[in-house]
Amino acid sequence: MLDDTLKAQLAAYLERVSQPFEIVASLGDDDNSRQMRELLQAIQSLRSDKISLRTDGQDARRPSFTLQRTGAGNSLRFAGLPLGHEFTSLVLALLWTGGHPPKVEADVIEQIQALEGDFNFEVYMSLSCHNCPDVVQALSLMAIVNPRVKTTVIEGGAFQDEVTAREIMAVPMVFLNGQVFGSGRMTVEEIVAKLDTGAAARDAAKLSAKAPYDVLIVGGGPAGAAAAVYAARKGIRTGIAAERFGGQTNDTLAIENYISVLETDGPKFALALEAHARAYDVDIMNLQRADQLIPATEPGGPIEIRLANGGVLQGKTVILSTGARWRNVNVPGEQEYKNKGVAYCPHCDGPLFKGKRTAVIGGGNSGIEAAIDLAGIVAHVTVVEFATELKADAVLVKKLHSLPNVTVHTNAQTTEITGVNADGVDTGKVTGLRYKDRATGEAHHVELEGVFVQIGLVPNTEWLKGTVELSKFGEIVVDARGQTSVPGVFAAGDCTTVPYKQIVIAAGQGATAALSAFDHLIRTPAPEAVAA
């Protein structure tokens, strides 16, 4: 299961285990159970003085195993092989169970330990999902530090019957005490905040008590992170409020065009962005969504950012870097069947549609890449493109047309995502897609089980309407220096009018905005001086 290089790396990590714990496996006679036995035996052999292994577990899910610290009541179970993207989750779970401290803020750990109630989590993941590890690691940590939290991590491919019975069509999918708790990427802070109902009010009061920043950045993607580093390096007080640090990069599988970095993946890149900002003592405020911008009432006065939780932050200058999100197709059925056949991440959710019929809406690079990816997993892919021809790069289009299980419809307008069966009964999940031939007006219906929407991005700027100038596409209008229509307010990244929405361009814009904000600070008299 593990080659010599991986064993050597794992052995080095396991040297950090300081407390003994036991692995208890529930195994069957299948090939997955054989592989799990080999994996666990290899792990145990690398640190036999601290890790013991039993294979007499009686859990109904086979193969599965628990990690149990000696003398503790924690309950963390992995059902299926935690390999692929989840191997890191397994390594961290081994270290945390063995007493190695997690790299999580102390107040978050205290908040987890203080949770009242009994929490039985089940999280379904796929080994190709790059959003799943964050959720798996968060729930694993919670189970290790709080005995009232029980977590079972389930690899959907190994337990397809459960996936079908629970109608799981998107991962990660989390159940709490048998009921759906959430889907998609979630951090440990987000999960704890949903469980700790008083957290928002406490957080709002804490944020409102902070002194004004010289530069306050809203948004933590590549633009926001670059702005934070450039501002902090000027020696000025810098804060960054981010709903999700890393922004869209968290949902990006491979990054191969960021100059000087030959290849990385989105979640790893997002972590590097945050680490770089923290290295410069930037005050990072995660899980914060901005609701309103209040311009300064006098030159040099504070600009306010009001947050969704009721908190208020102030900055002498503000940089808006709120990025963008996947664009919805906005047809009947899209919202009704979201995560019930309607999906936006083929890398995450594609394996759940193995052997099924799917569609991809969108003929740009993202859409055609998604179709090519899905074609190797699903029974059939139907591509629906509004324009008269596919807009993707020629090499991608050529590859797509070479695939035997792909059908392409151009000049086609998606009109509905359906969920009814042949008897007219709503099944609660996707059963098909309707589209109109734009040349003839003829309506068509394609029977399928999954629809992947890949039609571009929309800027996260709705909350700024009426405050800063926006383009007809909702982008923040900026000049060459990143200045917006409001004095002291700058903007950078995919939320702006700057063309070509690329990571490297967003980072450069962030640096420009920070330098412009600093220039604004040193050239603007303080309010007291103006009054004199």
Side-chain angles (χ1 to χ4, degrees), residues 41-241:
Q41 287 175 338
I43 292 171
Q44 191 272 336
S45 68
L46 294 174
R47 196 67 200 273
S48 57
D49 60 324
K50 295 291 184 183
I51 303 174
S52 59
L53 172 63
R54 285 172 37 204
T55 57
D56 58 352
Q58 300 300 310
D59 192 80
R61 285 192 179 100
R62 296 169 183 260
S64 67
F65 64 92
T66 59
L67 303 179
Q68 297 175 328
R69 186 181 299 165
T70 304
N74 63 295
S75 178
L76 171 60
R77 178 177 296 276
F78 287 88
L81 288 164
L83 299 175
H85 283 296
E86 295 301 340
F87 187 69
T88 299
S89 300
L90 171 61
V91 172
L92 290 173
L94 292 168
L95 293 178
W96 295 337
T97 304
H100 186 70
K103 293 181 179 179
V104 177
E105 297 292 335
D107 58 346
V108 175
I109 297 294
E110 292 173 2
Q111 197 175 359
I112 295 172
Q113 293 171 331
L115 288 173
E116 296 182 357
D118 295 310
F119 306 95
N120 183 9
F121 285 104
E122 297 167 291
V123 52
Y124 289 84
M125 54 81 174
S126 72
L127 300 182
S128 61
C129 170
H130 58 282
N131 285 327
C132 292
D134 283 339
V135 181
V136 169
Q137 290 163 25
L139 293 174
S140 297
L141 175 63
M142 291 174 65
I144 291 169
V145 302
N146 186 336
R148 301 189 71 172
V149 177
K150 302 182 185 303
T151 295
T152 303
V153 179
I154 304 159
E155 197 275 292
F159 294 89
Q160 194 64 49
D161 290 345
E162 286 189 38
V163 169
T164 301
R166 284 182 140 171
E167 298 184 344
I168 297 169
M169 296 183 179
V171 289
M173 179 67 72
V174 180
F175 291 81
L176 172 59
N177 298 333
Q179 303 298 315
V180 173
F181 175 78
S183 64
R185 183 181 182 273
M186 293 180 283
T187 65
V188 65
E189 293 88 353
E190 289 174 296
I191 295 171
V192 173
K194 289 183 70 172
L195 300 175
D196 185 356
T197 55
R202 295 195 304 272
D203 197 27
K206 182 179 177 182
L207 292 169
S208 298
K210 290 178 178 287
Y213 296 92
D214 293 310
V215 176
L216 173 60
I217 301 157
V218 183
V229 169
Y230 267 75
R233 282 173 60 88
K234 292 294 186 181
I236 56 179
R237 178 170 157 75
T238 305
I240 181 167

Side-chain angles (χ1 to χ4, degrees), residues 478-491:
V478 294
D479 64 15
R481 299 173 64 253
Q483 173 68 59
T484 72
S485 60
V486 177
V489 177
F490 302 83

Side-chain angles (χ1 to χ4, degrees), residues 16 44 112 136 183 235-236 269 289 314 335 363 401 422 448 478 522-523:
R16 304 174 188 177
Q44 191 272 336
I112 295 172
V136 169
S183 64
I236 56 179
F269 189 83
R289 180 168 60 84
Q314 293 184 329
Q335 293 304 315
H401 287 311
L448 41 76
V478 294
I522 62 176
R523 295 177 184 276

Side-chain angles (χ1 to χ4, degrees), residues 156-467:
F159 294 89
Q160 194 64 49
D161 290 345
E162 286 189 38
V163 169
T164 301
R166 284 182 140 171
E167 298 184 344
I168 297 169
M169 296 183 179
V171 289
M173 179 67 72
V174 180
F175 291 81
L176 172 59
N177 298 333
Q179 303 298 315
V180 173
F181 175 78
S183 64
R185 183 181 182 273
M186 293 180 283
T187 65
V188 65
E189 293 88 353
E190 289 174 296
I191 295 171
V192 173
K194 289 183 70 172
L195 300 175
D196 185 356
T197 55
R202 295 195 304 272
D203 197 27
K206 182 179 177 182
L207 292 169
S208 298
K210 290 178 178 287
Y213 296 92
D214 293 310
V215 176
L216 173 60
I217 301 157
V218 183
V229 169
Y230 267 75
R233 282 173 60 88
K234 292 294 186 181
I236 56 179
R237 178 170 157 75
T238 305
I240 181 167
E243 188 170 2
R244 182 174 66 149
F245 212 100
Q248 294 174 59
T249 62
N250 287 291
D251 303 321
T252 303
L253 187 61
I255 298 173
E256 299 174 343
N257 57 357
Y258 194 84
I259 308 307
S260 83
V261 179
L262 291 178
E263 182 180 1
T264 186
D265 61 57
K268 188 182 298 182
F269 189 83
L271 289 173
L273 290 177
E274 184 168 354
H276 201 166
R278 289 190 184 279
Y280 285 97
D281 199 28
V282 174
D283 187 3
I284 294 176
M285 296 158 281
N286 273 318
L287 305 182
Q288 304 304 328
R289 180 168 60 84
D291 262 1
Q292 188 178 11
L293 183 148
I294 308 296
T297 57
E298 57 182 326
I303 301 162
E304 287 189 357
I305 296 293
R306 297 186 178 178
L307 304 171
N309 63 7
V312 178
L313 296 171
Q314 293 184 329
K316 297 175 184 177
T317 60
V318 166
I319 297 174
L320 304 171
S321 56
T322 50
R325 63 187 183 277
W326 289 114
R327 185 183 299 276
N328 291 324
V329 69
N330 291 322
V331 297
E334 180 178 21
Q335 293 304 315
E336 292 86 339
Y337 304 116
K338 190 174 182 180
N339 295 327
K340 292 296 182 181
V342 175
Y344 299 84
C345 179
H347 303 296
C348 301
D349 301 331
L352 299 175
F353 293 86
K354 182 178 181 180
K356 297 181 180 180
R357 300 163 297 180
T358 65
V360 173
I361 301 175
N365 281 347
S366 295
I368 301 311
E369 287 172 355
I372 294 170
D373 188 13
L374 289 167
I377 303 171
V378 305
H380 189 270
V381 181
T382 299
V383 176
V384 181
E385 165 56 35
F386 185 85
T388 55
E389 60 183 20
L390 299 178
K391 297 170 288 186
D393 295 341
V395 63
L396 295 175
V397 174
K398 182 178 180 180
K399 173 65 177 177
L400 182 77
H401 287 311
S402 73
L403 301 173
N405 61 336
V406 175
T407 301
V408 178
H409 299 292
T410 56
N411 208 18
Q413 180 182 358
T414 301
T415 57
E416 184 182 2
I417 297 170
T418 61
V420 298
N421 59 20
D423 298 323
V425 177
D426 191 337
T427 64
K429 56 185 178 181
V430 169
T431 59
L433 177 145
R434 298 188 192 278
Y435 72 91
K436 181 179 72 174
D437 186 315
R438 296 177 59 224
T440 66
E442 185 178 356
H444 299 271
H445 181 261
V446 182
E447 293 184 355
L448 41 76
E449 290 75 42
V451 176
F452 288 82
V453 180
Q454 300 281 290
I455 56 173
L457 302 168
V458 59
N460 297 316
T461 57
E462 293 87 348
W463 64 287
L464 293 167
K465 288 180 179 178
T467 307

